[in-house]
Amino acid sequence: MKTIGKEWTRKEEGGTFTADHLSPSQLSKSMDIWFNDYVILTAKERKDLLGNLNMDIGSIVGIAAQLMITEKLTLEEVMKGKK
């Protein structure tokens, strides 16, 4: 990210920005919601917000894929909770 001024440094360093990366979900938010989430709220406060269904399903799919790759499990084994 190209820095413009102090306003884009992290809060811990005296700035206002509380995120350290940009994601597609951040970029699809309206400016007022993005400002609230990434300038007003801290990372811990953002983490405490309720997620949405897409986040939950993405997490489940990611964990299942990781288990299938790293543990060499089949989808059926993952679904049955082998690991």
Side-chain angles (χ1 to χ4, degrees):
M1 177 188 316
K2 201 171 212 176
T3 56
I4 300 168
K6 183 177 179 182
E7 67 273 7
W8 289 104
T9 57
R10 295 184 48 82
K11 264 193 179 168
E12 296 85 12
E13 300 164 348
T16 58
F17 201 53
T18 63
D20 56 9
H21 69 284
L22 290 174
S23 67
S25 63
Q26 281 186 44
L27 298 174
S28 67
K29 291 183 177 198
S30 64
M31 184 59 82
D32 58 334
I33 299 296
W34 182 90
F35 185 85
N36 180 70
D37 289 353
Y38 296 98
V39 175
I40 304 299
L41 299 178
T42 65
K44 182 184 178 335
E45 290 169 328
R46 280 194 306 277
K47 189 173 179 117
D48 291 342
L49 294 174
L50 292 176
N52 61 39
L53 185 59
N54 289 341
M55 289 173 57
D56 295 338
I57 292 173
S59 176
I60 292 167
V61 170
I63 291 168
Q66 183 175 356
L67 287 171
M68 292 170 67
I69 293 167
T70 60
E71 304 294 328
K72 305 213 182 325
L73 299 177
T74 65
L75 180 58
E76 187 175 328
E77 290 172 324
V78 171
M79 296 292 285
K80 289 184 178 178
K82 182 176 178 185
K83 179 98 178 162

